[in-house]
Amino acid sequence: MNRHLSLALAGLLGVGAGANGIFMLLSPANWYFAVPGVTTTGPFNQHFLRDIGLIFILVAIALLAGVARPAARVALWSAAALWLAGHALFHVWEVAVGICGTSALVQDFPAVTLPAILTAALALWAWQDARRGIRETRPTEGVRDAR
């Protein structure tokens, strides 16, 4: 994945997570009834939805700050990927124990699993990019020995 694509994808995912988090914070009842499948996961809980909305805003901040701050990118994108992956795995667990039917995995894929996969890919890219940058800035042993 090239740098421009990675930064654009992180920006897009960050804006999406931020919009989702703001929607959850400002209008939790509307969010609850607007998102397909949410009403089948349990009763409306305004406090819980706002808590999760805050997490989505933090994920958005991590993704967008990583775009702007290359030195912090690995940590920021890795943290976002960890939460999103945990969230996606929780959805898989709900199916595995019978809370939701398997159709929930298909329904949740675009908004839950795909962002987790893409953010994990971004975090891996950031790790590799950081390692490449370290190798490129280090003098080689041969150059040092020649001096």
Side-chain angles (χ1 to χ4, degrees):
M1 188 172 354
N2 72 38
R3 178 169 278 115
H4 295 295
L5 177 61
S6 298
L7 297 177
L9 180 58
L12 182 64
L13 288 167
V15 168
N20 185 53
I22 290 168
F23 188 14
M24 293 175 89
L25 281 174
L26 296 180
S27 190
N30 286 332
W31 183 93
Y32 178 80
F33 291 107
V35 178
V38 171
T39 58
T40 64
T41 63
F44 172 72
N45 182 326
Q46 176 176 270
H47 178 92
F48 178 72
L49 287 176
R50 285 193 165 128
D51 283 347
I52 302 303
L54 288 170
I55 294 169
F56 272 103
I57 289 173
L58 289 174
V59 166
I61 290 168
L63 287 164
L64 296 172
V67 170
R69 301 190 52 104
R73 189 173 290 152
V74 170
L76 291 167
W77 289 0
S78 295
L82 283 172
W83 188 83
L84 290 169
H87 179 223
L89 288 172
F90 180 68
H91 281 243
V92 172
W93 175 83
E94 286 183 319
V95 171
V97 299
I99 294 171
C100 299
T102 55
S103 64
L105 293 177
V106 174
Q107 186 172 33
D108 293 347
F109 185 83
V112 177
T113 308
L114 185 58
I117 292 168
L118 294 174
T119 304
L122 286 171
L124 289 172
W125 174 85
W127 279 92
Q128 291 172 344
D129 189 58
R131 289 189 59 180
R132 273 191 304 273
I134 290 169
R135 279 195 304 260
E136 291 169 4
T137 58
R138 276 194 214 153
T140 62
E141 296 302 320
V143 171
R144 247 190 260 161
D145 294 338
R147 290 182 191 174

